[in-house]
Amino acid sequence: MTLSSSNSKRSSAKHKTRYERKCRRMDTFFATSKLDYSESIKDVLSNFSVPQCEAEPFAKRPRREPTMKPKAKLRLTETGVSASLDVAQGERVPLFLSDLQDLLLYAQLGSHSPCVPRWCQLDKYNQLVHTTVLVVENVSLYHFSSYESFFPYLSAKFCNKLEFIPSAAYKMDMVQDLATLPLTVAQTVKLTSVYGSLDQTSSENSNGFDKIKGLFLIESDSGSAQPTSLPTGDKFPRTDLLLSGWQMVEENYPLPIKGLMNGKYVGYVLTKDSYKDVTPFSPMFGIDCEMCLTTIDLELTRVSIVDESGSVIYEELVKPEAPIKNYLTEYSGITAKMMKHVTKRLKDVQEDLRQILPPDAILVGQSLGNDMHALKMMHPYVIDTSVIYNITGDRKRKAKLQVLAEQFLQKKIQTNTKGHCSVEDSLASLNLTKHKLQQNIFYGDAVMSKIAKQVRQYPHLESSKYVTSFLREVTRMEKTSLVVGLEDITARYCHYTFRDKIVTKKICCISEVGNQSVINRLCESGAHYSFNIGHIRFNETELDNDPSKLFKKVDDWIQQIDKSICTPALRVVIFGGQRDSGNGCFFVSLKKCP
């Protein structure tokens, strides 16, 4: 028998077996389908006897209540931790009163708030019943630190203690600082569409401000008229491209903040002792720096400055204070041979720039904050091409200067394999800015182009000249507000709230005689309003005579107010600070249900 015939017989046997198995399965299926299951079930049930019992009423199962209810929570972000009093004074980065405004607005309006606080995160804001703020003018961080033992209740109950720059530091009245808000993009677009221009929405432009830039000494030339025309080729004022104070904070620009000048910003200097108001004709200068890695950190080794004509007005190599560990030639273009005979130091460069730059100079650069830190210099008027140009639609994702130059100037830069050229980079930044001025404010900016639909992507691009009422904003969503203060203080709140002479029932302003009366009225009436401000003040004589007794009374007042607050609530105490003797501090905490 051959192998092939043997395999064929084995295969036919398998087919036969498989066929027979299928036939048996089909027979079983047809047999089961003919059974009468109803009769079978009856036969089975007849063999069982069910005991008879009285019918009991059906008891409804009680609804199970949730064991955990969502609660409001407040936690500090990295920015908030940096401003906390738990951080050493030299390393602390103070906040601004506007930062606190952001939290107060968010606690009242939530997702409808024009700004989200950058220094903290508030969860379940809608659980809060009240927000109560006590403002104590002329008491500073110095007073709290020196007499902390006389604030036992404040220290124990308010876990978040943070430093902030007082309003007096940027030449502003504290009531104006607290009662007004810079216009956001959304409000600016809305007002412009209704009135045609912001100038027609207010008759008192003297109240406009840029809080943070008030830290610089800017001498306003009120006697001369501001130019109404524009330089040849410009389609809009170059001042519209300047970073606002808040943008300078967010982009990590060095600022003359009291307390940091002797700590974090040791060795930093201002580009001028005083500045002039910037105008559409103020000169622009492109600037770029190159750094090398030393035994200490990255240090300045080259700086280049070009003017609007493209001429190089300053070009210097700089010898760092510490020995160079890595020249980073592929990025900086700096070599050991170039640095061999360099003697100019950073202090020399600082003095040179203080002499060269005019008091209304506008500095232009890509991520210019890094260059200003390398120079250890501070300047109020800057245009950052990484901000005014955005091709990603996300402010946090920035395009490189090389990409921007190729896309908008059709020019390739940084092609040299031996490293970057600071002259080439500074000129590219300046040309990008000049190119945008010849187009429009939205040109090259994916975020600004979508501003009508997505204004919340860029909430802090505020108008530095126009403001709106803080209390009106707080009471926008069916909220109510109470302000209790001394007579002159309450009058100023009314001025900034009811400038259009239209008084609203949502906002109640009450004047009292004496600090104790302010506290008593706040405790009596605060429960009827969703947002409360109590504003008291001490003079220098009171603070000098017996400060320990005075601060013990303040702590008792805080406890008295705290007991009158309905829970859950956001509670805030502000020590306003003083211009010359110390920054302010504020204390924030949530009062939870017992």
Side-chain angles (χ1 to χ4, degrees), residues 141-277:
L141 173 60
Y142 166 78
H143 293 121
F144 176 75
S145 302
S146 302
Y147 298 91
E148 187 172 357
S149 59
F150 293 95
F151 295 99
Y153 189 84
L154 178 64
S155 299
K157 297 295 183 180
F158 290 75
C159 53
N160 299 305
K161 308 174 181 67
L162 303 103
E163 181 179 357
F164 76 96
I165 305 297
S167 307
Y170 36 87
K171 301 176 285 295
M172 184 174 290
D173 171 56
M174 187 172 185
V175 174
Q176 179 188 2
D177 202 2
L178 189 58
T180 56
L181 286 171
L183 288 180
T184 63
V185 169
Q187 294 165 330
T188 302
V189 170
K190 182 178 180 180
L191 290 174
T192 303
S193 64
V194 174
Y195 297 98
S197 70
L198 289 176
D199 290 326
Q200 299 177 17
T201 67
S202 173
S203 59
E204 298 183 34
N205 294 338
S206 60
N207 290 320
F209 60 90
D210 188 329
K211 300 179 182 180
I212 298 171
K213 289 190 179 178
L215 296 170
F216 296 91
L217 178 58
I218 300 175
E219 298 176 349
S220 178
D221 191 0
S222 57
S224 60
Q226 293 294 319
T228 56
S229 59
L230 296 174
T232 304
D234 289 4
K235 297 294 182 62
F236 62 95
R238 58 188 58 183
T239 52
D240 290 353
L241 296 180
L242 293 175
L243 293 192
S244 69
W246 277 119
Q247 287 174 294
M248 293 179 73
V249 170
E250 292 173 348
E251 299 295 331
N252 192 32
Y253 278 76
L255 294 167
I257 297 174
K258 187 174 182 179
L260 293 185
M261 298 301 290
N262 297 325
K264 183 178 180 181
Y265 294 153
V266 170
Y268 283 63
V269 299
L270 298 175
T271 52
K272 289 289 181 182
D273 292 329
S274 64
Y275 300 88
K276 290 184 178 179
D277 281 330

Side-chain angles (χ1 to χ4, degrees), residues 94 108 187 203 258 261 325 331 409 425 444 481 577:
Q108 292 293 296
Q187 294 165 330
S203 59
K258 187 174 182 179
M261 298 301 290
K325 186 168 63 173
Y331 303 107
L409 301 178
D425 290 352
S481 179

Side-chain angles (χ1 to χ4, degrees), residues 369-386:
N370 298 330
D371 301 299
M372 301 307 292
H373 279 292
L375 289 166
K376 291 190 174 182
M377 301 191 79
M378 303 175 182
H379 190 76
Y381 308 130
V382 294
I383 296 176
D384 196 326
T385 50
S386 72

Side-chain angles (χ1 to χ4, degrees), residues 410-545:
Q410 288 75 50
K411 184 177 180 180
K412 293 186 178 182
I413 63 172
Q414 301 175 354
T415 56
N416 193 337
T417 56
K418 296 182 179 180
H420 295 182
C421 174
S422 53
V423 173
E424 181 183 47
D425 290 352
S426 58
L427 188 59
S429 297
L430 188 59
N431 286 336
L432 280 167
T433 303
K434 293 168 64 177
H435 179 61
K436 178 155 184 159
L437 287 170
Q438 296 170 1
Q439 312 299 323
N440 58 69
I441 190 69
F442 303 102
Y443 178 79
D445 194 333
V447 177
M448 288 290 287
S449 297
K450 298 182 292 185
I451 201 68
K453 296 181 180 179
Q454 302 179 18
V455 291
R456 291 189 59 82
Q457 288 189 9
Y458 202 30
H460 281 105
L461 182 62
E462 73 271 16
S463 168
S464 61
K465 189 177 179 182
Y466 300 94
V467 296
T468 185
S469 167
F470 171 75
L471 292 176
R472 283 187 177 274
E473 194 71 20
V474 163
T475 56
R476 185 160 51 88
M477 301 292 294
E478 301 300 325
K479 302 285 186 177
T480 56
S481 179
L482 170 69
V483 177
V484 185
L486 302 177
E487 185 174 357
D488 62 309
I489 293 176
T490 306
R492 295 205 300 278
Y493 275 105
C494 290
H495 170 72
Y496 294 115
T497 305
F498 307 119
R499 285 176 57 185
D500 53 5
K501 310 302 181 183
I502 300 177
V503 180
T504 171
K505 294 182 179 179
K506 292 183 177 182
I507 304 172
C508 179
C509 296
I510 301 176
S511 299
E512 293 289 346
V513 179
N515 292 332
Q516 182 66 65
S517 299
V518 172
I519 301 300
N520 292 340
R521 176 58 69 94
L522 181 63
C523 294
E524 293 170 3
S525 306
H528 304 296
Y529 298 85
S530 55
F531 182 82
N532 306 293
I533 295 179
H535 198 133
I536 61 177
R537 179 180 58 212
F538 296 108
N539 56 44
E540 293 184 3
T541 304
E542 291 176 299
L543 292 171
D544 293 339
N545 287 342

